[in-house]
């Protein structure tokens, strides 16, 4: 019997996924098939997989950081899927190497990006895609942003790995779920006390709380 690929298992609600990638839930919904660009792991109700989460993150960077229109992105995603010949190009390692170039070149004809602009865009996309780790060309871990955009460097203090914690965010290097930290924090425990109890640097506790509170917002 073949092993079930946990990366494709339905785990995240629209609201959860929206919080992790910092996109409104209504936007995430609009990106779903059949009219959108992403095929959710489950449609009744709509529940997303880890692979879907990675796809959302890549799209959110292109849509929100570079202001490409949804129509342009829809055409470009179809183009990249065809060129790379993989089912989920946005969650595939080739996107980080060949895919960014193809994606930008195709969008360039739609939004009139200059050659220098393409180079700058590829460099910036590369920085965002460093938040994703791959094994055998498929995305396996995602490090969501835990601080405001524009603040550098962004630490890899929280990780989402479908093989650990049922795919829910945990503090990197531990099995501690961010939701457990927030539950205790909301119950009145201080960050200092939590850091001491978990034997963690206080900044990790702060990042965990920030990441989980954003998801719940």
């Amino acid at each position: 019997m073949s092993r079930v690929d946990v990366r494709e298992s339905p785990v995240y609600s629209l609201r959860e996924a929206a919080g992790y990638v910092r996109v409104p839930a209504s936007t995430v919904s609009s990106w779903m098939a059949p009219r959108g660009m992403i095929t959710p792991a489950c449609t009744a109700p709509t529940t997303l997989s880890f692979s879907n989460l990675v796809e959302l993150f890549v799209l959110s960077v292109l849509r929100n950081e570079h202001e490409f229109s949804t129509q342009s992105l829809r055409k470009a995603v179809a183009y990249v899927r065809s060129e790379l010949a993989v089912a989920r190009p946005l969650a595939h390692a080739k996107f980080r190497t060949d895919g960014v170039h193809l994606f930008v070149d195709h969008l360039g004809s739609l939004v009139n990006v200059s050659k220098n602009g393409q180079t700058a865009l590829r460099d910036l996309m590369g920085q965002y895609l460093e938040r994703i780790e791959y094994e055998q060309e498929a995305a396996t871990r995602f490090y969501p942003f835990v601080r405001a955009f524009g603040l550098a460097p962004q630490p890899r203090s929280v990780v989402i790995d479908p093989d650990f914690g049922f795919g829910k965010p945990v503090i990197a290097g531990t099995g501690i779920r961010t939701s457990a930290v927030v539950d205790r924090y909301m119950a009145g425990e201080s960050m200092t006390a939590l850091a001491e109890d978990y034997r963690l640097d206080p900044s990790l506790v702060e990042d965990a709380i920030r990441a989980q509170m954003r998801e719940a917002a």
Side-chain angles (χ1 to χ4, degrees):
M1 182 180 295
S2 60
R3 179 177 180 269
V4 175
D5 189 345
V6 294
R7 293 169 298 194
E8 304 300 332
S9 299
V11 176
Y12 313 103
S13 68
L14 279 174
R15 182 179 177 182
E16 284 180 307
Y20 297 149
V21 300
R22 300 187 175 187
V23 172
S26 58
T27 300
V28 172
S29 181
S30 72
W31 287 348
M32 296 297 107
R35 297 184 61 188
M37 295 164 276
I38 295 174
T39 301
C42 180
T43 57
T46 300
T47 313
L48 309 185
S49 67
F50 174 78
S51 293
N52 291 150
L53 192 65
V54 172
E55 292 174 313
L56 286 174
F57 176 69
V58 174
L59 285 177
S60 71
V61 172
L62 290 166
R63 180 69 181 89
N64 298 327
E65 296 304 301
H66 305 296
E67 300 182 351
F68 293 133
S69 70
T70 300
Q71 180 180 7
S72 295
L73 289 173
R74 185 178 293 113
K75 291 179 180 179
V77 167
Y79 173 79
V80 176
R81 181 177 291 116
S82 174
E83 289 297 309
L84 297 182
V86 293
R88 296 190 184 279
L90 299 178
H92 199 278
K94 286 184 179 179
F95 183 80
R96 183 167 58 181
T97 54
D98 303 326
V100 172
H101 179 75
L102 291 170
F103 207 104
V104 173
D105 284 350
H106 187 60
L107 282 179
S109 66
L110 300 174
V111 298
N112 195 28
V113 177
S114 68
K115 182 177 181 180
N116 290 337
Q118 289 182 12
T119 300
L121 180 55
R122 283 197 298 270
D123 290 344
L124 185 56
M125 277 297 295
Q127 294 177 29
Y128 278 101
L129 294 181
E130 289 300 317
R131 312 296 300 184
I132 304 168
E133 290 185 356
Y134 299 85
E135 291 179 7
Q136 297 180 344
E137 298 190 327
T140 55
R141 290 174 208 88
F142 168 51
Y143 296 84
F145 289 121
V146 295
R147 300 178 186 177
F149 286 127
L151 293 181
Q154 282 272 359
R156 289 186 168 199
S157 50
V158 172
V159 62
I160 297 175
D161 185 329
D163 285 323
F164 294 94
F166 300 98
K168 300 296 184 176
V170 301
I171 297 175
T174 78
I176 304 169
R177 289 177 59 164
T178 57
S179 58
V181 177
V182 167
D183 285 346
R184 294 180 60 177
Y185 177 71
M186 295 300 292
E189 295 187 58
S190 69
M191 290 188 188
T192 300
L194 289 169
E196 291 177 353
D197 192 30
Y198 286 121
R199 298 181 180 179
L200 295 172
D201 187 286
S203 66
L204 291 177
V205 173
E206 184 177 355
D207 284 346
I209 292 172
R210 187 184 294 111
Q212 188 67 28
M213 296 291 278
R214 181 177 293 276
E215 180 274 323

